[in-house]
Amino acid sequence: MRPPTVRGTGTKPGDAPATETGGEGSPEGYKRGLGTRQIQMIAIGGTIGTGLFLGAGTAISQAGPSLIIWYAVAGLVLLLVMRALGELLTHRPVSGSFAEYAREFLGPFWGYATAWTYWIMWVTTGMAEITAAGQYMKYWFPGVAQWQTALVSLVVLLAVNMISVKAFGELEFWFALIKVVAIVGMILVGVGVLVIGFGDVGDTASVTHLWKDGGIAPNGAHDSLMTLQIVLFAYLGVELVGVTAGEAEDPQRNIPRAINSLPLRFGLFYIGTLIVILSVVSWTEFAPGVSPFVAAFAKIGIPAAAGIVNFIVLTSALSSCNAGGLYSTARMLRTASVNGHAPKGLGRLTARGVPAPALVVSALTMGLGVLLNALDPDHAFAYITSVSTGGAILVWSVILVTHMRYRKAVAAGAAEASPYRMPGAPYTNVLALGFFAFVTVLIAWSADTRVALYVMGVWVVLLVLGWVVLRGRKRAA
């Protein structure tokens, strides 16, 4: 019997996209230049960004020690999302990743909508990161205008990405390594303060800070829950490992290994770090807009702490802009192009397998972030993070729904089963989707974050209008 065709795709589940062209290294024409160590570090670096280094300060001042609970809950939900994505990736590794799977199992509109939503999500995040990099550079170059340092940072990252995927992977490897060493160092210093009692806070540091300074949720359950949007933003980028599938060496082995290490990474980098920081220094010492790492190092009294931490947060911002802002957006933009959902020129690759036109468009769009910060510096970061979180919730939800459709196709014999399976599906899919719906309600509850829903509403309208125009052109052709 002939396998059934998924409605609206024109292909059987499990088939490679008809619009993708062949090429050396991977089905999409990319070069498989990302090795095991680079894939592992991209996976690690994708879960450590400005949301942790900077955004956690605001969340701590609002939620107190209860923030640890929300990082644990959100980490479990994101682990389910990544297991679902991992099953799809081992079914058929492609660089378009979740956008391609959405097109294959949900229909062409969803592939188009997912690619463009992921692009706008990371472009807006890149705006925040590149502007933050400009602010951090002023620590060493106070006489240079912020927009100039931000522009130089963006140009350098663009130049590296234009060389080859191997050059990108090497730069991201070192960026991620710096972040990992910094967090491990912070944890070791904190444990040393708690056990040995050295530093300026040695006499007051205690794990009792986690419950004695007003309780676990000192500002009440409402204020504590309202930090979930900030928590999800901190996890933004965990899905980046999926975008690397088309350029990864031996993706069937490396992708599951990267995803399987997520519980350890979440436990160490988020939960472990917060437990140590909030034990060494009371949550009452942290303020909105101030990095908890900077505050903790300053309280401990480590020499040159400000310069060290400033370097760390600078590399964190550059890493996020490099991996998410440029690398992933260019791949998604090219996926949209080769599927006929973006200008044809954006689908071109250089001889080294680099989507140069898509890279340039993403970089130029991110450059608008400097202008946004100049117009409204007090609210720009909150606006951008809430919009990015809204986009991430949409993309993560699409991954979960796509996985459910994939499982149905497997049960019907229309697609091959993957050896790497998501546990508890489809019940775990529904559980994760319910969590995202709950966070969306919380975003709507606050006036500061509600703007994200307005923006996402306008974005959905633009997506539908764009789809109508595309379909009209195809009918005319």
Side-chain angles (χ1 to χ4, degrees):
M1 181 180 292
R2 183 180 178 182
T5 299
V6 174
R7 179 173 52 85
T9 65
T11 61
K12 298 186 295 298
D15 286 352
T19 52
E20 294 285 16
T21 58
E24 181 185 351
S26 77
E28 301 89 7
Y30 293 112
K31 307 291 183 182
R32 292 200 182 274
L34 296 176
T36 301
R37 68 181 178 88
Q38 293 168 328
I39 291 292
Q40 288 287 338
M41 274 301 177
I42 290 171
I44 293 172
T47 57
I48 311 170
T50 303
L52 175 62
F53 282 115
L54 183 60
T58 300
I60 289 172
S61 66
Q62 184 174 340
S66 64
L67 185 66
I68 298 170
I69 298 173
W70 302 133
Y71 269 105
V73 171
L76 287 173
V77 173
L78 266 298
L79 178 60
L80 294 176
V81 174
M82 289 306 296
R83 285 299 299 259
L85 179 58
E87 186 171 343
L88 291 167
L89 287 168
T90 50
H91 153 67
R92 182 168 63 84
V94 291
S95 188
S97 192
F98 26 89
E100 269 304 303
Y101 303 134
R103 185 201 64 79
E104 181 179 352
F105 293 105
L106 300 181
F109 170 79
W110 290 104
Y112 149 85
T114 303
W116 277 108
T117 299
Y118 195 67
W119 180 81
I120 196 67
M121 177 189 88
W122 266 111
V123 162
T124 53
T125 304
M127 290 179 184
E129 303 290 7
I130 202 63
T131 305
Q135 293 173 337
Y136 299 145
M137 290 290 284
K138 290 186 71 175
Y139 176 82
W140 296 290
F141 307 102
V144 180
Q146 178 181 308
W147 71 267
Q148 292 175 328
T149 52
L151 180 61
V152 169
S153 300
L154 182 59
V155 170
V156 170
L157 293 177
L158 175 61
V160 171
N161 275 265
M162 293 285 281
I163 296 172
S164 68
V165 68
K166 191 171 184 178
F168 152 79
E170 197 62 27
L171 181 62
E172 190 58 28
F173 171 84
W174 289 106
F175 276 158
L177 185 61
I178 290 171
K179 291 190 285 187
V180 170
V181 170
I183 289 183
V184 172
M186 179 66 204
I187 291 175
L188 292 177
V189 169
V191 171
V193 172
L194 290 168
V195 175
I196 303 174
F198 69 82
D200 296 344
V201 295
D203 295 335
T204 58
S206 171
V207 291
T208 60
H209 284 313
L210 297 177
W211 61 84
K212 281 195 172 181
D213 299 332
I216 295 177
N219 294 322
H222 174 268
D223 283 5
S224 179
L225 283 170
M226 294 304 292
T227 61
L228 274 172
Q229 177 259 321
I230 301 175
V231 170
L232 280 185
F233 177 74
Y235 280 111
L236 198 69
V238 65
E239 75 294 325
L240 277 174
V241 67
V243 185
T244 68
E247 294 167 279
E249 297 174 358
D250 195 3
Q252 300 283 358
R253 179 173 67 95
N254 287 329
I255 297 299
R257 286 177 64 183
I259 294 174
N260 287 341
S261 66
L262 278 175
L264 176 61
R265 299 203 309 267
F266 288 168
L268 177 65
F269 299 138
Y270 286 100
I271 301 169
T273 302
L274 286 174
I275 289 175
V276 171
I277 286 180
L278 293 177
S279 296
V280 171
V281 181
S282 171
W283 74 271
T284 58
E285 301 292 328
F286 297 99
V290 178
S291 169
F293 284 76
V294 175
F297 269 97
K299 293 289 183 181
I300 294 172
I302 296 178
I308 295 171
V309 175
N310 195 74
F311 175 72
I312 293 168
V313 294
L314 171 63
T315 56
S316 175
L318 292 176
S319 171
S320 181
C321 184
N322 184 46
L326 288 174
Y327 175 84
S328 65
T329 58
R331 271 66 185 174
M332 280 296 173
L333 202 54
R334 184 184 179 246
T335 295
S337 174
V338 297
N339 284 335
H341 301 153
K344 188 176 180 180
L346 296 178
R348 294 173 184 166
L349 292 174
T350 66
R352 293 177 178 268
V354 176
L359 268 171
V360 171
V361 169
S362 292
L364 290 174
T365 308
M366 281 197 304
L368 297 174
V370 179
L371 176 62
L372 176 61
N373 268 260
L375 294 174
D376 193 356
D378 295 333
H379 300 94
F381 189 79
Y383 290 161
I384 290 172
T385 56
S386 57
V387 170
S388 298
T389 304
I393 288 174
L394 284 176
V395 171
W396 292 334
S397 298
V398 167
I399 291 173
L400 291 166
V401 175
T402 301
H403 176 261
M404 294 169 74
R405 289 295 300 270
Y406 161 71
R407 280 289 187 91
K408 287 185 177 180
V410 171
E416 291 186 8
S418 168
Y420 186 73
R421 295 172 66 81
M422 177 186 179
Y427 305 107
T428 44
N429 299 65
V430 175
L431 180 65
L433 288 169
F435 176 79
F436 291 143
F438 178 65
V439 176
T440 303
V441 172
L442 293 179
I443 291 175
W445 200 269
S446 171
D448 290 337
T449 57
R450 197 178 301 143
V451 64
L453 298 185
Y454 300 148
V455 173
M456 294 311 296
V458 173
W459 177 246
V460 169
V461 172
L462 291 175
L463 282 175
V464 172
L465 291 176
W467 182 250
V468 170
V469 171
L470 282 173
R471 300 297 289 180
R473 288 179 178 177
K474 285 186 177 181
R475 290 193 190 98

